[in-house]
Amino acid sequence: MIRRIPRVVLVGAVLVLVAGLAFFVWRGAGNRTAASLVVGDCFDVPSATQRIEDIRSRACNTPHGGEVFRIYDASVPSATYPTDTDWEAMIYPVCDPVFEEYTGTPVGDRLDISYLYLVPTADRWAAGDRRVTCFITSLDGNSLSRSFRTKT
């Protein structure tokens, strides 16, 4: 016996699929702020002259400069803005193991990718912003064209 799916159910399923696809396309590209990035987002890495507030997000299967794999709030006992050495001491122990979990290989074993990070400016730090965003980037400076996430 063949069962027919009622038209209402079929139309409803199609609408849900279209809405989901529209959200995926919308989320995959557009202007975002550093604060609105989430793990798994791909984006164009801002240049030194660009404002960090104007990040262009991209679908991960299109050319992009970075892929977010870890976001966290840095906990520092001092209110003084961290030095570069302080940032490294805070970030590497947190992001190195997550990079390995996210990509499936330790950062030191990769010949194609590594990671960088976005940290708050001194002004944002003074205002209480402690958000650190670690993101994958290519070692050779070329664009990435896929996601490096191995687990969902």
Side-chain angles (χ1 to χ4, degrees):
M1 181 166 133
I2 298 175
R3 292 186 62 186
R4 291 187 176 242
I5 299 173
R7 247 181 233 228
V8 165
V9 173
L10 186 58
V11 170
V14 169
L15 288 176
V16 169
L17 181 63
V18 169
L21 182 59
F23 176 76
F24 174 76
V25 170
W26 169 79
R27 190 174 177 278
N31 289 332
R32 310 273 301 272
T33 64
S36 69
L37 290 171
V38 296
V39 171
D41 277 351
C42 294
F43 64 99
D44 290 339
V45 178
S47 69
T49 60
Q50 284 179 298
R51 291 170 15 128
I52 201 73
E53 292 87 11
D54 300 325
I55 291 177
R56 176 87 177 147
S57 62
R58 302 278 183 198
C60 291
N61 63 352
T62 63
H64 59 278
E67 178 179 353
V68 178
F69 69 92
R70 178 71 164 107
I71 297 171
Y72 73 99
D73 284 337
S75 58
V76 179
S78 169
T80 305
Y81 188 74
T83 65
D84 288 346
T85 304
D86 294 337
W87 280 121
E88 291 171 1
M90 284 187 288
I91 293 170
Y92 293 154
V94 172
C95 289
D96 279 9
V98 178
F99 178 95
E100 181 173 353
E101 180 181 318
Y102 190 90
T103 65
T105 49
V107 68
D109 291 353
R110 297 300 299 239
L111 300 177
D112 55 343
I113 58 172
S114 187
Y115 73 87
L116 298 174
Y117 42 86
L118 300 171
V119 297
T121 63
D123 290 342
R124 299 285 314 144
W125 181 268
D129 185 1
R130 300 294 188 264
R131 181 182 170 109
V132 175
T133 303
C134 297
F135 64 93
I136 296 167
T137 189
S138 73
L139 281 173
D140 63 9
N142 290 326
S143 293
L144 305 171
S145 59
R146 68 177 182 89
S147 172
F148 286 89
R149 179 182 269 182
T150 58
K151 296 180 182 177
T152 55

